[in-house]
Amino acid sequence: MQFSLWLALVGAGTVISLTPGAGAINTMSNALNTGFRRSIWGILGQQAALVVHLAIVALGVGLLVASSPTAFYAIKYAGAAYLIYLGVRQLLAKPEAEEAVALSRRNEPAWSMFRRGLWVNLLNPKAVVFFLAFVPGFIRPEAPLAPQYMVLGATIVLIDILVMWFFFAAAARTFQRFTRSTRGQRIMSTVFGALFIGVGLLLAFF
């Protein structure tokens, strides 16, 4: 990949990662509930989903998903239902004492956070459609494809990790003081629950 084309990819990837969505909401929620450092597990799960999406597009399966209304809407509504489920669970979460919050941060398994991040990004068929529109602009068919897809995938994943961890997860630190009281926890649970449900409804109906 030419350096100028790679720079364009970096710029486009940064703008895309900075656009708020389900991944950003999940990252901020994890950072609040488990702490800044441990939120990386959810971010890594989201990156695994991005790699899967890119592989789907590279293998040509993405075109089949995009052109099949049944497959597209099945994945779309499953993704929307999962986000709404996360939102409802957040709304129903009971406030805890500060000591209990600290304990829950230590006890939530990394795999649980990874899996949640994976499903949040994986159950989004619009990501496949987006990659179908986005990827061809950075791929030169006359050159070997495998190295190009590897560079493209590594660049997108690295950018998204940096943006999610050092922008969205770091931004959540501002709200951590709310988790020290039951009233603050209720406010944050309501806010993030509503955001998850809102994104789920947007995915379902738009």
Side-chain angles (χ1 to χ4, degrees):
M1 182 178 292
Q2 295 179 345
F3 184 67
S4 58
L5 188 62
W6 181 79
L7 286 178
L9 173 64
V10 170
T14 302
V15 172
I16 293 164
S17 293
L18 285 169
T19 303
I25 295 168
N26 185 60
T27 297
M28 294 185 73
S29 177
N30 282 338
L32 279 170
N33 293 325
T34 68
F36 172 76
R37 290 184 180 179
R38 299 199 72 236
S39 67
I40 188 62
W41 294 109
I43 295 170
L44 292 177
Q46 292 168 198
Q47 304 319 306
L50 289 184
V51 172
V52 172
H53 282 309
L54 184 58
I56 287 173
V57 171
L59 293 172
V61 180
L63 189 59
L64 296 177
V65 174
S67 61
S68 170
T70 301
F72 180 85
Y73 284 108
I75 300 173
K76 175 179 180 178
Y77 291 129
Y82 183 66
L83 291 173
I84 292 171
Y85 159 74
L86 291 179
V88 171
R89 192 175 71 170
Q90 193 87 39
L91 290 175
L92 296 178
K94 294 181 180 179
E96 299 175 313
E98 188 173 354
E99 295 80 5
V101 172
L103 182 62
S104 66
R105 287 180 179 180
R106 291 195 300 269
N107 287 345
E108 183 175 10
W111 169 244
S112 172
M113 299 167 63
F114 181 93
R115 184 178 58 217
R116 187 166 59 246
L118 175 70
W119 286 114
V120 162
N121 268 6
L122 196 60
L123 292 174
N124 184 2
K126 291 185 178 181
V128 176
V129 176
F130 171 78
F131 272 117
L132 280 171
F134 176 79
V135 169
F138 298 95
I139 296 296
R140 294 295 175 260
E142 68 276 6
L145 295 179
Q148 295 185 78
Y149 276 109
M150 289 179 66
V151 170
L152 190 146
T155 300
I156 291 175
V157 165
L158 180 59
I159 290 171
D160 204 53
I161 289 175
L162 293 175
V163 170
M164 288 296 150
W165 208 19
F166 293 105
F167 183 78
F168 288 110
R173 286 178 165 179
T174 307
F175 305 103
Q176 278 191 331
R177 64 181 182 276
F178 288 102
T179 64
R180 297 170 186 166
S181 67
T182 55
R183 181 173 180 273
Q185 289 176 50
R186 287 195 189 98
I187 292 173
M188 297 312 299
S189 293
T190 301
V191 169
F192 280 96
L195 287 173
F196 272 122
I197 292 172
V199 173
L201 292 174
L202 286 174
L203 178 61
F205 295 108
F206 292 96

